[in-house]
Amino acid sequence: MENLRDIPFFASLSPKVLERVAEMMECHVFPPFSTLCRRGEPGRYFYAIASGGVTVNLLSGAKRYQIFLGPGQVFGEMSLLADIPVTATVRTVKETRVYRLSKQAFRQLLDSEPEVYRALIEMLVHRLRHRSNLAEVETGPTCCCVVIAQPLPHQKLFLQTLAKTVAYYNPGSILVDFVLPPSESDNAAWKPRPDAFFPAMAGAEVFTDTNHCFTVSGASIEWKRHLLQRWKRDGGVNQVLILAISGEDYLSFAENLSERDAVLAVTDAVPSLEHDLAPKKTGHHGGFAQVILTDGLSEKGASSNQSWHFHITAADLQQDREMQSNGYLSNAPHSVDWLARWITRREVGLSLSAGAARGFAHLGVLEVLEQAKIPVDCLSGTSMGGIVALVYAMTGSAGQSIELIREMLGGNKKIRDLALYPRGSLYVGSKVARAAYEVFGDKQISQLKKPCAVIAADLVRGQRVVIHTGPAVEAALATSAIPGLFPVLERNGQLLTDGALMSRIPLDVLEGHRCGVRLAVNVIPSPETREMEAEKTLKWLKEKASHFMGLRFIIAFSWELQAWTHGAHEAEIADILIEPDTHIYSGYNFDRFDEMVEAGRRAAEAKLPLIETTVSTLLNPGVP
């Protein structure tokens, strides 16, 4: 019975109901390439996969699709519910253990156990929602070009580990290495292998050591183009063709890549923003990332002309690289797993809204996500959300971020330094600037542990500015320079002020990170909340406005009204929106640090079941 609880569909059932389900279940082990059900035949069973995996072969018009389902996933329910023929042929790809319910038992449970019925409805709704999102983009096979300009340490081990990890998430994916073909000293497992998939063109020899790692020698550029075309035509849903190629070869057929394809530039030196393979130089506008592959740990450089990059070391590659036969996460080294999730669009992105002191609530959200082991792979933010995003990207720890920001901004006395003769701002801004330098020092955004982008507004050109390179301290000061309250920041011929003028929840910035799930946090109270507190708010605002410098409260409330309207519109593209219940009077009260952090915790905990289910689905191998 406990094994059944490991399967998400059954996890929410009470012990009594789960025991009844277990009594009605049959457990079977099928060898590789067994057919469990065939398209057009009557449905007989509801299946739950305990270990192994199956391919679901679908036919849509004249096109065939292949989807992989792995441990924890279920299938077969639609034909039993609607009493219609099976719509897809399902075969095992390796030895597979399944639990199954007969049609009669399945219907009996639905009729007599509301918990099972509710679990089925929730699964169908979640599956429909996920596939509606998939319908917005193509889901056919893709290509990832791993461009290696010169021999690198542990190059072959890196490619094999990456290929195994990508194939774990998107089964059926393969690596074809054109850079370093097998030599006599290679393991005897590498053998010549003619394969029906590879183009039948003279001069090329194909070798393999596993079902997903191939190496090719003597292939012309036409052969490589033909391979890519054949993959795009015949590959399965979301399967990835990883091509290890030289820079010269890549440039010769970059035009054949689509926006869904990815490019990795692998080197042993710190990459530059002006990389020869960057999209603006090659014309390819799909995913582009840079990877440093080194022998040991080395601190990222400190040039403002660097882009954020993955860093993989020999120590990473020496870890156990075997994939788990059960469970839902790859057992590859963390850095390689992260890179594979970037390639397969399985990153989790988080966007944090503007909100002044209310933005402390972002820290509580991060703490809950971290405790639940929800990965946060990339961040974006505006104003206080931008500061929190930068600090978390630097530390990689919610606890450390809370303490740093408490020390930096957690109190009115820590930020307020009224100017004797105000010019461009009411506050001098020296307290905030000093605190920012103490936190970030001379760190560049490219040195942070996670990629991060924050928003500022350029008063000179009237443009939104996305800051994802350069000194982290400048980014923090620019994104949070509330107009009229804090000084603007001059940078590269721009006068930068609070990014909330242009973008309150910059979710669109995450598009370049190939996120599979986008989380957003909006800390600004909604109009509904304000309506409930209207009488109190009127009295409180009139009283505050009658005092010296009371204009700051009028400015603050006006600013927040605009912030909620714009933020609500931007948040529409979020997969999950978290809205902490921040007190309506606390927007500019920095003394209420702990209260705001706790509000973030409560809001994240309320959404945590949905977040966990969504992320678990994202990280499961194959597709839901």
Side-chain angles (χ1 to χ4, degrees), residues 345-360:
R345 295 183 177 272
R346 294 173 188 265
E347 282 197 318
V348 177
L350 178 65
S351 190
L352 306 178
S353 76
R358 302 183 198 278
F360 295 145

Side-chain angles (χ1 to χ4, degrees), residues 373-386:
K373 297 184 174 13
I374 303 296
V376 175
D377 299 305
C378 52
L379 301 102
S380 66
T382 294
S383 195
M384 180 61 78

Side-chain angles (χ1 to χ4, degrees), residues 454-468:
V454 300
I455 306 300
D458 178 17
L459 295 179
V460 175
R461 295 168 181 80
Q463 295 176 345
R464 183 177 92 152
V465 178
V466 179
I467 305 175
H468 57 86

Side-chain angles (χ1 to χ4, degrees), residues 46-47 233 260 319 496:
F46 171 74
Y47 293 90
R233 186 190 67 198
R260 297 185 60 243
Q319 295 178 28
L496 301 181

